[in-house]
Amino acid sequence: MSHLSVAKFGGTSVANYAAMTACAKIVLADPNTRVVVLSASAGVTNLLVALANGVDAQQREKLVGEVRQIQENILTELKDDSVVRPDIERLLASIESLSEAASLATSPALTDELISHGEMMSTRIFIEILRELNAQSTWLDVRSIVATNSHFGKAAPDDELTQKNSDNILKPLIDRGELVITQGFIGRDPNGKTTTLGRGGSDYSAALIAEVLHAKDVLIWTDVAGIYTTDPRIVPAAQRIDTMSFAEAAEMATFGAKVLHPATLLPAVRSNIPVYVGSSKAPQDGGTWVTRDPQPRPTFRAIALRRDQTLLTLSSLNMLHAQGFLANVFNILAKHKISVDTITTSEVSVALTLDKTGSASSGAELLSSELLTELSEVCTVKVDTGLSLVALIGNDLHISAGIAKRIFDALEQYNVRMISYGASTNNVCMLVQSGQADEVVRALHAELFEK
C-alpha cells in the first residue's frame, strides 16, 4: 500500500457506544487507515489507578462497579453482545482479582498490569462495532509488538526488538490487507510483564507503530478539532493552528497542552512522519498538521499551562564558588528517578520544578521522605506547592527584541514566582500562583494573539 496511516482514538473518542461508532465510521471512510490504536474508554483508567493504589473491600466494590457500568453501557447498545461479552466478563474478573491483590500489597508492576485492562476492553468492543458496520478487523495484543524495559509506570521502548516484532507479526497482517485494532499505552518487558508508557502514552504507541511500519502519517483523533493557541476553555478567543513544527508541538505538549503526549513526537521526528490532530466528533471541521518545517513560523505560536507544580528550592553556602554541588544534587534526584523540568540558579540556591508524567504519579509520591532526607544532608530544602507553569511557545524567542517587555507589560499586576528564559529558542516559562494561572493565560493571549 502506497499510503499507510495509523489512527489513534483517545478516551473521550471511545467513551460510549455513539462515540465508538463515530470513530469506526472515520476509520472505514479512510482506506489508508490500516492500524487503529485505542485508549481505554473515558474514566476507566482513573478508576483502575484508584484500585491499583489499594482500597478497602467496600470502596473496591464501588470502583469495580463503576468500571463495569461503563462497559455495560456500551455492551447493551450492541445489536448482539454474545461474542464479546465473555471477553469483557473475563477482563472484569481479572480486574477484581488484581484489585484484591493490590489491597494487600501494591507494586508498580501490579499497577501496570491492572490499568492495562482498560485498553483491552475498549479494543474488544471496538471490533464488535466494526462488525456491526459489516467490516472485518483483526484484534492484536500490542504487547506482542511493543517491547520495553522494566521501568513500570513510564517504560521506555526497545526500538530494535519492537521493529523485529512488527516485522514478524504486524507487517504480515498489513500486507494481507487486514485492518488491525490494537491498544495504546502498554507494552511488555523482557520478563513478559505488562508495562505502561506513562499517562497519555497511547499517542506514543501510535507513533511507534507508525515508525516500525514506515507509515506516511499518524492521525490523532481526539475531542478537539486540532491544536489551538491556548486552551479554548480558558480563552474562548483561542485560534486553531493549521500547521506547526514538531519542535513547537513538543514544547506545547511538554508544558501542559493535553492534545499530544510529549513522547509521541520522538518517533515522528526521527522518521519525519507528519502528525494530524482532529476531532472524532466533528472530522469535517479539519485540524492541525504537525510537520518538520511548516511555514510561516511566527514569533508567538501558543500558550500552554501545566497545573499542580511542585517547586523545590535548594540552598547551601557551600554552593558559593564551589564545584560539584549541582552534580551532587542531580545525582540524588536521578537515584530517586526524578526528572527536572525547569531550573533557575543564584549564587547559593537552585530552584527547580519536577516532572510528573508517570502513570500514577503525584507530587507527594515524587517527594518521598527518603529523597528529602538525602537532599537535606547537602542543603536546605524548601518545598512550594499551589503553583502552575505558564509556557509561551514560539520561535527564536531568545533573539527577538522586545519579547520580555511585551510579556511583562501583560503581567504587570501578577506575581511571577520563577522565570526560565534563554535555554530554549522555543519557550519562555513562568511559574505563577495556581489561583491566578487562568488570568495570566488570558492576559498573555490578549496581548500576544488578539491585538
Side-chain angles (χ1 to χ4, degrees), residues 299-329:
T299 301
F300 301 115
R301 179 67 90 182
I303 300 167
L305 172 62
R306 187 195 279 174
R307 304 185 192 274
D308 186 27
Q309 294 297 283
T310 299
L311 177 66
L312 213 55
T313 305
L314 311 174
S315 305
S316 173
L317 290 175
N318 294 332
M319 185 177 170
L320 189 63
H321 305 306
Q323 297 176 342
F325 174 78
L326 284 178
N328 196 8
V329 165

Side-chain angles (χ1 to χ4, degrees), residues 340-355:
V340 173
D341 266 346
T342 58
I343 181 169
T344 60
T345 65
S346 71
E347 288 85 351
V348 295
S349 297
V350 55
L352 44 89
T353 61
L354 307 180
D355 180 25

Side-chain angles (χ1 to χ4, degrees), residues 117-377:
H117 283 58
E119 280 74 14
M120 291 295 164
M121 292 188 292
S122 64
T123 48
R124 289 289 188 187
I125 293 173
F126 196 70
I127 292 276
E128 283 305 307
I129 288 177
L130 284 166
R131 186 174 293 154
E132 286 188 358
L133 296 172
N134 299 315
Q136 290 301 311
S137 56
T138 300
W139 186 89
L140 179 67
D141 188 334
V142 78
R143 291 172 295 190
S144 66
I145 306 298
V146 177
T148 74
N149 63 11
S150 300
H151 186 179
F152 298 102
K154 196 179 179 184
D158 178 332
D159 296 328
E160 187 175 337
L161 186 51
T162 299
Q163 180 69 63
K164 182 180 177 182
N165 291 340
S166 175
D167 291 343
N168 292 335
I169 301 169
L170 180 56
K171 192 171 184 300
L173 296 175
I174 301 302
D175 289 343
R176 290 202 298 268
E178 297 189 33
L179 172 60
V180 176
I181 310 302
T182 194
Q183 307 79 35
F185 179 52
I186 57 182
R188 179 177 285 150
D189 79 351
N191 300 314
K193 290 186 177 294
T194 299
T195 57
T196 63
L197 305 179
R199 296 300 294 268
S202 291
D203 292 348
Y204 195 2
S205 302
L208 281 170
I209 290 170
E211 183 176 45
V212 295
L213 286 176
H214 309 293
K216 292 293 185 183
D217 47 41
V218 181
L219 312 176
I220 305 290
W221 294 101
T222 179
D223 55 356
V224 292
I227 302 173
Y228 284 72
T229 48
T230 195
D231 188 338
R233 292 169 297 185
I234 299 174
V235 181
Q239 306 142 26
R240 189 177 72 212
I241 303 165
D242 291 328
T243 182
M244 67 191 309
S245 69
F246 287 126
E248 293 168 328
E251 293 280 355
M252 284 191 70
T254 299
F255 291 109
K258 294 287 194 290
V259 177
L260 287 174
H261 184 266
T264 300
L265 302 173
L266 297 179
V269 171
R270 279 195 306 242
S271 299
N272 193 22
I273 301 172
V275 177
Y276 177 79
V277 181
S279 170
S280 63
K281 298 175 181 177
Q284 71 281 357
D285 287 354
T288 300
W289 279 102
V290 185
T291 61
R292 179 169 287 176
D293 187 27
Q295 298 297 330
R297 298 181 70 164
T299 301
F300 301 115
R301 179 67 90 182
I303 300 167
L305 172 62
R306 187 195 279 174
R307 304 185 192 274
D308 186 27
Q309 294 297 283
T310 299
L311 177 66
L312 213 55
T313 305
L314 311 174
S315 305
S316 173
L317 290 175
N318 294 332
M319 185 177 170
L320 189 63
H321 305 306
Q323 297 176 342
F325 174 78
L326 284 178
N328 196 8
V329 165
F330 278 92
N331 280 336
I332 293 171
L333 293 171
K335 175 183 172 183
H336 290 269
K337 293 185 167 54
I338 302 294
S339 297
V340 173
D341 266 346
T342 58
I343 181 169
T344 60
T345 65
S346 71
E347 288 85 351
V348 295
S349 297
V350 55
L352 44 89
T353 61
L354 307 180
D355 180 25
K356 303 195 301 183
T357 54
S359 292
S361 63
S362 72
E365 291 167 347
L366 283 174
L367 296 176
S368 65
S369 57
E370 293 84 2
L371 169 63
L372 294 175
T373 298
E374 278 197 60
L375 288 172
S376 297
E377 290 173 0

Side-chain angles (χ1 to χ4, degrees), residues 389-411:
L389 193 68
V390 176
L392 174 60
I393 314 298
N395 294 282
D396 295 329
L397 294 174
H398 65 315
I399 59 172
S400 300
I403 296 292
K405 182 180 187 304
R406 293 192 67 183
I407 291 172
F408 287 106
D409 280 352
L411 301 184

Side-chain angles (χ1 to χ4, degrees), residues 49-61:
V49 168
L51 287 165
N53 288 334
V55 292
D56 61 38
Q58 183 178 357
Q59 182 69 359
R60 189 165 67 247
E61 183 178 354

